[in-house]
Amino acid sequence: MAAYFHSVTLEKDKCMGCTNCIKRCPTEAIRVREGKAKIIDERCIDCGECIRVCHNHAKRALTDPLEIIKAYPYPVALPAPTLYSQFSHKFKVDQIIQGLLNLGFFRVWEVARGAEIATQVLVKYLENHALPKPVISAACPAVLRLIQVRYPELLEHVIPIESPMEISARLAKKELEEEGYPVEQVGVFFISPCAAKVTSVKNPLGVKKSQVDGVIAISDIYGPLLAQLASTASGSIQPRASGAGIGWAVIGGESRLLPFNQTLSVDGIANVVRVLDDIAMGKLKEVDFIEGLACMGGCVGGPLTIENSYLSKTRIQNLSKKYGMSYPEVAPEFACSEFFWTEKIEPCSVLVLDEDLALAMQKLETLDEIHKALPGLDCGSCGAPTCRALAEDIVRGLAVEIDCIFKLREKVTDLAERMVELSSKLPPSIGKPR
Ligand code: SF4
Ligand code: SF4
């Protein structure tokens, strides 16, 4: 089996082993060993939280450079709606699209249009399929992977339809092919706020192969695009996406378009974990739909963005107002089912202690005992995020009890006391008779 690709990687030289990142990782996928962070591949969901918290910039997302578009005669840009929020309101959406064309893209296909289509596909899907409540959005690939590794029992709640990015990529290719361009010469590039999207292109979930040929970080294209905007006049291009599609960039943007009575829009991976915990415990059954986005504020808070996410949110809301909420119906030539997932997402329970249930139970008991004996301070000095995570590492054979500095001190103190005691005990040949 091919190794799982991860977008989020560590630049070892820059890592100071400060342990900041281990505490914020929602799947406890990071340890500090020999003074450097180490990502446990099977657990990482590429949410980018560690990129955000590392002040030493030791974590980064592997994305493609802008030059990659030269590999295709007909490169198409798929700007995430978040891109529009990165620039001052004095730059209009049509200028941004023109700026992308000036950078060498042959065509621009707005992902906000893909979001409008996704909305309609989603409604159609739910008209004909009953899913257990609450139904969970599949829009955020980090949340989807989180469900796969930490809450596999909730996979059946997820709506199995393609993401706006995939829908846009497929339609962009189709459009150019219909216009007579050889499809193998068309390269489609997502302009991304998101590290998890890079992973979802390399290791797609729900579809066999991604239609996206490369992912360029917003933070990388920002400078060249800004330089273009300064000399690009507004008015030459008609943007096609509505405010509804653009609104998907912020939390609540998806759910407000859906015909549900009770929806929860949850942003920030720690909050999403709390809500998924509740669903796993059988709570929240009265909620119809949950939109969970890993980043605070939604994709405007993505790890590959430049702008302050609060400002970006306001800009997206203003754009939504400006471009209105009505958008065209999915063109009749497309059956909505064309955008349903074709592949089942298999559970990936990397967190279970053993495949054998009886052994897993035994290990869990040992884990609980070890955990109880640890100080419970969750200080991170051992390189694991919590005392429980250290106990788990011990059970898995990846750590030992004296990795805990308190346990080590206890052992050293105990040893010292015994040494002192021993030193007072002289052999009868030179000491007192016993
Ligand atoms: S936050 Fe993590 S990656 Fe960054 S320096 Fe600290 S330990 Fe290393
Ligand atoms: S909220 Fe958006 S940017 Fe953040 S991980 Fe999810 S899809 Fe990516």
Side-chain angles (χ1 to χ4, degrees):
M1 203 174 106
Y4 191 89
F5 170 91
H6 279 289
S7 158
V8 175
T9 51
L10 173 80
E11 284 186 46
K12 226 173 171 180
D13 295 346
K14 291 186 182 168
C15 176
M16 307 300 286
C18 68
T19 74
N20 270 348
C21 58
I22 63 172
K23 302 234 159 228
R24 293 280 291 271
C25 176
T27 54
E28 299 187 335
I30 312 174
R31 301 288 183 274
V32 171
R33 296 282 174 258
E34 295 167 25
K36 302 284 175 191
K38 187 178 177 310
I39 303 173
I40 305 168
D41 280 349
E42 314 83 79
R43 290 178 171 227
C44 174
I45 59 169
D46 290 294
C47 62
E49 194 66 14
C50 57
I51 298 179
R52 256 189 292 265
V53 299
C54 179
H55 300 305
N56 298 304
H57 307 290
K59 292 273 175 46
R60 69 182 194 97
L62 293 178
T63 51
D64 296 302
L66 182 54
E67 289 68 44
I68 193 184
I69 70 172
K70 294 185 184 138
Y72 290 85
Y74 306 108
V76 180
L78 301 185
T82 300
L83 180 71
Y84 307 150
S85 68
Q86 302 297 292
F87 302 97
S88 148
H89 68 275
K90 70 179 186 201
F91 297 118
K92 309 281 182 297
V93 170
D94 64 321
Q95 270 174 291
I96 296 171
I97 294 174
Q98 183 61 55
L100 288 168
L101 295 172
N102 295 352
L103 284 176
F105 287 101
F106 178 67
R107 214 39 88 74
V108 175
W109 217 99
E110 294 178 78
V111 175
R113 285 178 64 204
E116 294 163 3
I117 295 167
T119 307
Q120 296 173 60
V121 175
L122 213 149
V123 172
K124 274 273 169 303
Y125 185 90
L126 291 167
E127 274 170 11
N128 301 309
H129 301 80
L131 294 185
K133 273 209 224 166
V135 169
I136 304 174
S137 162
C140 174
V143 170
L144 193 54
R145 176 94 177 127
L146 176 70
I147 294 173
Q148 190 192 22
V149 302
R150 192 163 160 175
Y151 308 93
E153 71 278 19
L154 299 185
L155 279 170
E156 53 175 9
H157 291 244
V158 178
I159 311 176
I161 66 156
E162 289 183 8
S163 67
M165 173 187 78
E166 284 299 333
I167 291 175
S168 305
R170 197 123 69 82
L171 295 183
K173 282 187 172 166
K174 192 171 173 146
E175 208 168 275
L176 282 173
E177 196 178 9
E178 281 169 3
E179 287 178 32
Y181 296 97
V183 73
E184 65 286 354
Q185 293 183 18
V186 176
V188 172
F189 301 95
F190 182 58
I191 315 293
S192 179
C194 173
K197 280 275 196 263
V198 186
T199 309
S200 77
V201 165
K202 307 270 186 189
N203 305 110
L205 287 175
V207 292
K208 229 186 201 106
K209 187 180 176 309
S210 171
Q211 297 294 316
V212 177
D213 299 294
V215 180
I216 299 165
I218 285 182
S219 50
D220 287 343
I221 209 169
Y222 178 82
L225 189 52
L226 186 63
Q228 288 298 329
L229 293 185
S231 57
T232 305
S234 175
S236 55
I237 289 209
Q238 188 59 45
R240 293 156 80 187
S242 70
I246 293 172
W248 269 56
V250 298
I251 186 68
E254 180 187 3
S255 39
R256 73 174 163 167
L257 303 177
L258 299 175
F260 291 118
N261 290 327
Q262 276 240 57
T263 62
L264 281 193
S265 304
V266 189
D267 60 340
I269 194 75
N271 299 328
V272 172
V273 166
R274 252 171 255 141
V275 166
L276 292 177
D277 275 343
D278 279 352
I279 305 174
M281 284 191 284
K283 297 183 188 171
L284 303 183
K285 285 215 170 84
E286 78 271 29
V287 177
D288 297 309
F289 178 75
I290 299 218
E291 175 188 359
L293 295 178
C295 302
M296 286 307 288
C299 300
V300 287
L304 307 182
T305 55
I306 290 278
E307 191 53 280
N308 175 297
S309 64
Y310 293 98
L311 183 55
S312 299
K313 192 172 172 185
T314 305
R315 285 176 182 162
I316 289 289
Q317 284 162 345
N318 289 340
L319 285 174
S320 281
K321 267 190 224 142
K322 180 175 171 187
Y323 289 101
M325 300 304 282
S326 60
Y327 48 89
E329 291 263 317
V330 177
E333 64 265 30
F334 303 118
C336 278
S337 57
E338 210 181 310
F339 304 107
F340 294 173
W341 283 348
T342 52
E343 310 299 307
K344 187 169 184 288
I345 300 181
E346 294 300 338
C348 175
S349 313
V350 293
L351 307 185
V352 295
L353 291 168
D354 204 292
E355 292 301 324
D356 181 316
L357 191 61
L359 273 179
M361 294 304 288
Q362 251 177 41
K363 286 186 180 175
L364 189 62
E365 266 175 41
T366 318
L367 188 156
D368 283 339
E369 276 161 30
I370 299 172
H371 183 207
K372 263 188 227 141
L374 290 171
L377 295 172
D378 295 341
C379 66
S381 312
C382 61
T386 58
C387 293
R388 186 156 184 94
L390 176 64
E392 192 187 323
D393 287 353
I394 296 170
V395 169
R396 290 181 192 274
L398 304 170
V400 288
E401 199 188 43
I402 53 168
D403 285 348
C404 166
I405 55 165
F406 296 95
K407 281 285 162 193
L408 181 65
R409 193 176 61 186
E410 230 173 78
K411 288 258 183 324
V412 170
T413 310
D414 185 45
L415 196 63
E417 278 167 10
R418 280 172 46 208
M419 297 274 280
V420 171
E421 194 191 320
L422 273 179
S423 70
S424 67
K425 288 194 177 24
L426 295 173
S429 56
I430 53 171
K432 288 188 221 149
R434 287 192 185 132

